[in-house]
Structure formats: C-alpha cells, structure tokens
C-alpha cells in the first residue's frame, strides 16, 4: 500500500523562471533572448528558501498545490500553464490566490522620451486590466502609508529598511484596450489598489491589489527588492494572514491554529498580537505628532536661519511673542519710516530693526537703528522709546554651522555699540530650546528680573530640560547682546 510523503514543513511557492541552479549562463554569442532568460533567473539566485520555510516550484514543475506565486506569467510556454494551474488549485481549495509581482527592471538604465517617463506594467490574467508604474528619479523620499494592517506594515518596514535607495515606480491601475473584429474592447481592472509605501506626493510605490471578488491578492513591489526579506515576510506574515490553511497542510512551524494551542501558547500569542497592535497605534500617533511638530517648527527654523525681508521680520516677531513680548508690526502701521517692530515687556519698549546679509554684516546697519530711534518721537510722541535692538541674519547663504558666532567682530566697533546686536542664529537657539529668559535679556539689553542668559528656562513649569546642546549651544553660550 502506497503512502504519501510526510509533510515537509516547507510551503510551495511558484516562481515563473527556470531553476537558477540548472540554467547555465549562455555563451556571449547566444541570442539576446537567452541572455534575458538567464538574467531573469539570477534575480532569485541566493535565496535561502529552506531557512524561510518555503520550497520553490520553478517552470516545468507542478504548481497546483502552491500557496503563492512570484512574478507569474500570462505568456504561453513562459509560465502561463503553471500560473493557470496555481489559480485553479487555489480556487478548488476555496483559498485566496496570493501573488507577488515586481514592477520595472532595477538593472536597466532609465529611459525617457518626449512621450513620457520610464514606465513598466504588470498585466492581470486574461488581460483584464493592468498596473502601470512610472519610474521615479533618484533620491525619492518614501514613507509608510497611513492606517496599514499589521501584515502590510511589516512588509513596508522590511522593504524600506532593506531597499531604501530604490529604484521606485509610482503605480496606478489602468484598463487594457483590445482590438478585435467587432471593434475595440476596454477591460477595466476590477478591484482596489491600496498603498503600502508612498512617495512624497502620497502615490503608491508598494501596493496591495485585492480583486472585487476577494479571490486574489496581489502585492506589487519594485524590482530590486531583497528577496530573502520578501520570502521571509511571505511565509511568516502574509500566508498566516491570507492563506493560513496552506501552512497547516505542510505543518509549517509558522502555522498558527488557535484550536491546537496550549493555554501558555495562546496567552503568549495573544499578548504578542496585542503588543504589536499597541505598538503600531502608538507609533502612528508619535509619527503624526512628530510631523505636526515639524510643520509647526519649520517656518520659524527656515525664517530665522535663511529668511530675508518680510519673512525674517515675521519670524522674529513670532519668537518675541513666544518670549512674552507684545509685538507691533511697524512696517504695517508706518511703512518704512521707522524700525520693523516695536516690542514691549513690563512697560519696557524696544524698537527692533531686522536685517539680513548674505555675507558679513555691514556696520552701517547699526546706524539704521539709531536713525529710527532718533525719528521715533516725531512719529509717536505719546509713546517714548529710547532703546532698541538690531537682529541680523548674517551670512545666511552659508550653512549655519559655518557662520561666525557674532554679527560683528571689530573690537573698537563693539566697544562703541549703544544697543544690543543679536544674531538670528542665537535667537534660533533660544527659540529651539524654549529659553525665553535669554530672548528677553538679549532684547532688553540687561539682566531681566535676575534671569540667567545662559541656561535655558523651560516654557512651562515642570517641563523637561532641553536636550544636550551641540554646535548651537557653543554659538549661543556667549551670544548675548554684543554691546559694551
């Protein structure tokens, strides 16, 4: 009596190429087609299938019992029979057909023309639609799509961590037009394309396609991914989520059957799943919080370090208000007749002149402030102001770390200054660390209520101390008012 082979623990996966181990490299004089076939097999060379818990089923082997397919083909004698048998096997068992397809060719040079960018495409069976990808340029910023299911989030992290340099293709579902004797027929893909990794515009570069009937799930990845990473994810995460019966049939160690678990196993597994859900939710919350903080901080950071004109003036006003000053935009009220801002704190008023210089600051900038102080009584006699401060974003064309600490360096000129000259870089450092006492002291030109100019003071009672400082701390440590 014949006995069937015992389950191996390895799940069968259809891969639509010849076995790399049995496909020698063609002679240099061989036809280009032979070279292309060999190059296709090499993409899967070096995969540790056993370690991942999988068994590859190459072209020419039976695929009816396969749990998933990798880059299946619709073309005759190039894998169409194997693909059809894979789909039929999944349907006969009432299982989802899980398919991984790659977009483009990572080894090819980008091709651009007057008709558009470098594109690639993957056809669905029967030419019932396609996914088209347009290649992105180098240096593209890639991020996780929001609200991912755990299995998709795991794939996103694995690919981003192992293939962050790309290349990437932006993907879209497109119809296919067929010409026949009765005219043109348009086949629209039926299903939903869900982003997993997206570019800076939110367009998918890794995505999942689920057919309308739910019988097929496709994962579209960019060519050039680390296949050991992908196969490991397929067995450990994708199959348990989408085709768990396939793992149970072969008694895979990655199979999870709650009905057969001990109490200890169930408890540990449920705790782990709960931890993963909590981690995903908390990570999403913190990422959103970080993004919001960046969106809030960037205009001030950019304005103080690289701004000129009204952008710089507006940003200085934001920082002064955060430090407790009542700030009036004098440009709006008086035009160019006076300084840029009027800052008032505890009945102490200061005219604030704001300037920027691409290189070293001219000493004549101080004369502008003194001129505005001299003309102020004729503009607002009811509000005496006898002191001011000059804020200068000097050397703004240089990286901040390359700029001089002080706006001016000539000792004789510094000794003659009557009003504070504040580098925008120092104002940035105090704003960044919420050292409002330093801002107040710098603007008022004296120790204000005994506050310490050097050590940051948290904005709120009980707030944690700011992080340890680097270059900016050294810059700001003695960058108070540069006057005698």
């Amino acid at each position: 009596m014949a006995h069937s082979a015992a389950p191996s623990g390895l799940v069968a996966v259809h891969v639509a190429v010849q076995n790399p181990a049995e496909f020698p490299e063609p002679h240099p004089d061989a036809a280009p087609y032979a070279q292309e076939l060999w190059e296709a097999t090499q993409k899967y060379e070096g995969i540790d299938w056993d370690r991942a818990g999988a068994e590859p089923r190459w072209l020419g082997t039976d695929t009816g019992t396969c749990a998933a397919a990798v880059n299946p083909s619709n073309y005759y004698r190039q894998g169409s029979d194997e693909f059809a048998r894979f789909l039929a096997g999944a349907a006969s068992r009432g299982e989802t057909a899980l398919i991984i397809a790659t977009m483009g060719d990572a080894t090819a040079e980008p091709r651009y023309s007057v008709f558009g960018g470098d594109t690639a495409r993957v056809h669905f069976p029967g030419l019932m639609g396609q996914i088209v990808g347009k290649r992105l340029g180098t240096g593209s910023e890639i991020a996780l799509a929001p609200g991912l299911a755990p299995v998709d989030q795991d794939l996103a992290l694995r690919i981003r961590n192992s293939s962050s340099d790309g290349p990437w293709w932006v993907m879209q579902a497109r119809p296919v037009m067929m010409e026949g004797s009765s005219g043109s027929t348009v086949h629209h893909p039926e299903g939903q394309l869900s982003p997993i990794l997206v570019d800076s515009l939110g367009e998918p570069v890794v995505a999942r396609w689920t057919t309308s009937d739910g019988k097929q799930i496709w994962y579209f990845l960019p060519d050039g991914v680390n296949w050991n990473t992908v196969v490991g994810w397929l067995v450990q995460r994708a199959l348990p989520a989408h085709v768990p019966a396939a793992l149970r049939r072969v008694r895979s160690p990655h199979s999870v059957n709650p009905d057969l678990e001990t109490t200890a196993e169930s408890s540990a597994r449920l705790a782990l799943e709960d931890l993963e859900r909590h981690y995903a939710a908390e990570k999403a919350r913190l990422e959103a919080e970080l993004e919001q903080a960046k969106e809030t901080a960037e205009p001030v950071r950019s304005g103080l370090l690289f701004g000129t004109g009204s952008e710089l003036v507006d940003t200085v006003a934001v920082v002064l208000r955060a430090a407790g000053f009542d700030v009036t935009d004098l440009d709006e009220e008086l035009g160019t007749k006076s300084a840029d801002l009027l800052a008032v704190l505890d009945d102490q008023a200061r005219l604030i002149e704001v300037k920027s210089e691409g290189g070293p600051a001219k000493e004549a900038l101080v004369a502008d402030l003194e001129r505005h102080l001299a003309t102020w009584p004729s503009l607002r006699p009811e509000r005496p102001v006898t002191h001011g401060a000059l804020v200068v974003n000097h050397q703004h064309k240089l990286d901040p770390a390359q700029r001089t600490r002080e706006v001016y360096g000539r000792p004789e000129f510094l000794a003659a200054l009557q009003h504070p000259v504040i580098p925008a870089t120092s104002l940035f450092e105090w704003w960044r660390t919420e050292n409002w006492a330093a801002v107040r002291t710098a603007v008022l030109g004296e120790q204000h209520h005994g506050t310490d100019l050097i050590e940051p003071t948290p904005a709120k009672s009980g707030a944690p101390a700011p992080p340890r400082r680097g270059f900016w701390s050294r810059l700001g440590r003695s960058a108070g008012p540069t006057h005698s």
Side-chain angles (χ1 to χ4, degrees):
M1 182 176 178
H3 296 276
S4 59
S8 64
L10 302 178
V11 63
V13 178
H14 167 48
V15 189
V17 296
Q18 299 291 337
N19 186 345
E22 300 174 0
F23 198 94
E25 183 175 4
H27 189 275
D29 295 335
Y33 177 69
Q35 182 69 22
E36 292 174 3
L37 289 178
W38 178 78
E39 290 175 355
T41 68
Q42 296 308 296
K43 294 180 183 292
Y44 308 98
E45 180 68 27
I47 299 176
D48 193 341
W49 295 95
D50 284 353
R51 182 176 182 181
E55 174 196 354
R57 297 283 179 89
W58 313 102
L59 291 181
T61 58
D62 181 52
T63 57
T65 59
C66 288
V70 173
N71 278 328
S73 174
N74 292 307
Y75 295 102
Y76 177 64
R77 299 186 67 178
Q78 296 181 34
S80 61
D81 290 344
E82 288 87 345
F83 189 25
R85 187 163 175 81
F86 160 73
L87 294 176
S92 69
R93 296 185 296 271
E95 296 175 352
T96 300
L98 184 60
I99 302 159
I100 297 176
T102 53
M103 183 69 66
D105 184 352
T107 62
E109 290 296 325
R111 302 183 305 277
Y112 301 100
S113 72
V114 296
F115 300 104
D118 189 5
T119 58
R121 63 197 70 240
V122 176
H123 289 281
F124 291 116
L127 297 179
M128 300 300 290
Q130 60 185 331
I131 302 296
V132 176
K134 183 178 180 180
R135 188 166 182 163
L136 294 176
T138 57
S140 300
E141 297 184 4
I142 304 301
L144 273 68
L148 292 176
V151 60
D152 293 350
Q153 183 181 53
D154 187 81
L155 175 64
L157 293 172
R158 292 187 191 219
I159 292 180
R160 190 180 65 172
N161 293 341
S162 63
S163 307
S164 59
D165 294 335
W168 305 98
W169 283 262
V170 171
M171 302 177 190
Q172 284 185 329
R174 297 275 185 86
V176 172
M177 179 176 292
M178 302 292 293
E179 296 291 343
S181 57
S182 58
S184 299
T185 304
V186 178
H187 296 285
H188 292 274
E190 298 181 358
Q192 181 178 2
L193 189 68
S194 303
I196 295 177
L197 283 176
V198 297
D199 69 353
S200 58
L201 300 180
E203 299 293 334
V205 295
V206 172
R208 171 172 47 82
W209 174 269
T210 305
T211 57
S212 298
D213 58 14
K215 294 181 178 180
Q216 296 179 24
I217 294 179
W218 293 65
Y219 280 91
F220 292 98
L221 320 178
D223 185 49
V225 294
N226 183 317
W227 277 107
N228 275 306
T229 295
V230 173
V231 174
W233 166 83
L234 171 65
V235 177
Q236 298 165 19
R237 300 304 302 268
L239 289 175
H242 300 305
V243 200
L247 297 174
R248 291 196 292 268
R249 281 196 303 274
V250 298
R251 299 181 190 170
S252 168
H254 301 288
S255 173
V256 176
N257 186 349
D259 294 336
L260 302 178
E261 287 182 332
T262 64
T263 301
E265 288 174 319
S266 297
S267 176
R269 179 178 58 79
L270 292 173
L272 180 60
E273 291 175 355
D274 184 64
L275 177 63
E276 290 178 342
R277 284 193 296 269
H278 176 75
Y279 169 79
E282 184 68 6
K283 185 173 184 292
R285 184 188 68 80
L286 292 174
E287 286 179 341
E289 186 177 307
L290 175 59
E291 187 63 28
Q292 179 60 46
K294 286 182 177 179
E295 290 179 2
T296 301
E298 184 54 33
V300 180
R301 177 167 43 240
S302 176
L304 285 179
L305 298 181
F306 305 101
T308 62
S310 61
E311 178 191 9
L312 178 60
V313 173
D314 293 343
T315 309
V316 171
V318 168
V319 175
L320 294 180
R321 290 190 180 102
F325 286 90
D326 181 14
V327 181
T328 301
D329 189 333
L330 296 178
D331 285 345
E332 291 184 357
E333 294 192 3
L334 303 174
T336 59
K337 296 179 182 180
S338 186
D340 296 296
L341 303 169
L342 173 65
V344 180
L345 179 66
D346 297 336
D347 295 325
Q348 298 184 73
R350 298 291 185 270
L351 289 184
I352 309 297
E353 182 71 356
V354 182
K355 297 291 186 181
S356 62
E357 292 283 359
K362 297 184 288 290
E363 294 178 353
L365 298 181
V366 176
D368 291 339
L369 174 62
E370 294 174 342
R371 174 171 52 82
H372 291 317
L373 285 167
T375 60
W376 178 258
S378 64
L379 297 174
R380 292 287 172 86
E382 75 284 0
R383 183 62 186 271
V385 179
T386 58
H387 293 79
L390 176 65
V391 177
V392 184
N393 187 17
H394 69 300
Q395 299 175 322
H396 65 76
K397 293 184 178 180
L398 296 178
D399 183 87
Q402 296 176 320
R403 303 176 195 179
T404 59
R405 185 181 66 183
E406 305 288 354
V407 176
Y408 299 114
R410 189 164 66 89
E412 299 82 1
F413 181 75
L414 294 175
L417 286 175
Q418 299 299 311
H419 305 283
V421 177
I422 306 171
T425 47
S426 293
L427 203 59
F428 166 77
E429 173 64 11
W430 298 326
W431 165 80
R432 184 185 70 83
T433 58
E434 300 182 357
N435 189 357
W436 311 125
V439 176
R440 294 190 289 267
T441 299
V443 172
L444 297 175
E446 59 187 18
Q447 293 296 321
H448 181 65
H449 297 314
T451 55
D452 186 352
L453 174 65
I454 304 305
E455 293 302 325
T457 301
K460 299 179 181 179
S461 176
R468 186 177 63 87
R469 302 179 184 178
F471 168 79
W472 290 111
S473 174
R474 298 193 299 274
L475 181 148
R477 181 161 291 275
S478 59
T482 54
H483 65 97
S484 58

